[in-house]
Amino acid sequence: MDLKSNILKRERGPNWEHEEKVIFFHCFQKVANVLEDSKKDFNTNSKKNIAWLSLMNNCNAHSNVKKREIRNLKKFWETEKAKSRKAFTSERYSRMKTGGGCEDKINDSINPDVEELIRKPHIVEWSNFHDSDSVVIDNPPFHNKLTIQQLLNQQ
């Protein structure tokens, strides 16, 4: 008898609709600080289990959502988080490899809801007058050019 034939494959669940994703992210925001905590001790894990249960109840309470279990919600969240991190890494890699040339456009879709929830760093560009691939700022900051004499006259 083959060992693989005795193992049952898990049944595929229904696909996530866009509206379901929006509802999930909205419900996740309420418990994100607990679920995204990096601690792994007993108390934190018990709080995380309670938070996942609360998230499941909140999501399933909506009429437009297919009823899902905690393991489905966890898997969906891990997948969305991995997609967002992959897109961020691809974008950062693309920016670094240009070497002064044109920047490649990345087709990976970065979900802003996921970005906000995982609190990942954003790419910040600084203008560099000596480098050809710097970013031009549309609205330069206002510099107050008061002379010392004008300052003395104001007092």
Side-chain angles (χ1 to χ4, degrees), residues 20-141:
E20 287 181 300
K21 292 179 182 181
V22 170
I23 291 171
F24 173 80
F25 293 135
H26 175 73
C27 293
F28 190 88
Q29 284 178 341
K30 298 174 185 175
V31 292
N33 58 344
V34 176
L35 295 177
E36 288 300 303
D37 192 359
S38 61
K39 295 179 188 174
K40 304 285 189 224
D41 60 280
F42 178 78
N43 292 333
T44 306
N45 284 342
S46 61
K47 288 178 185 176
K48 286 182 182 184
N49 290 335
I50 293 169
W52 277 112
L53 185 62
S54 169
L55 176 63
M56 181 189 71
N57 292 335
N58 287 340
C59 284
N60 289 339
H62 288 83
S63 61
N64 301 359
V65 175
K66 296 174 185 80
K67 305 305 179 219
R68 302 188 189 266
E69 296 177 10
I70 293 175
R71 67 173 184 216
N72 302 118
L73 299 177
K74 284 182 180 181
K75 181 65 176 170
F76 173 73
W77 173 243
E78 291 300 322
T79 304
E80 288 297 310
K81 196 164 51 165
K83 284 181 191 175
S84 179
R85 287 182 177 155
K86 181 179 178 183
F88 177 74
T89 304
S90 300
E91 180 183 352
R92 186 175 59 196
Y93 177 74
S94 173
R95 288 177 186 268
M96 298 299 284
K97 78 173 189 173
T98 59
C102 294
E103 182 180 325
D104 294 338
K105 296 294 177 195
I106 303 295
N107 290 337
D108 292 341
S109 60
I110 300 176
N111 191 336
D113 296 330
V114 178
E115 278 188 31
E116 181 182 324
L117 291 172
I118 63 175
R119 299 178 194 104
K120 68 181 174 133
H122 296 283
I123 297 175
V124 178
E125 298 278 343
W126 296 98
S127 61
N128 184 350
F129 298 112
H130 304 290
D131 192 6
S132 64
D133 62 348
S134 63
V135 175
V136 178
I137 301 172
D138 292 335
N139 298 326

Side-chain angles (χ1 to χ4, degrees), residues 1-17:
M1 220 178 176
D2 191 24
L3 182 63
K4 290 184 181 180
S5 64
N6 291 340
I7 299 174
L8 297 175
K9 284 190 168 185
R10 93 177 158 82
E11 191 174 317
R12 182 166 158 53
N15 291 340
W16 285 77
E17 302 290 331

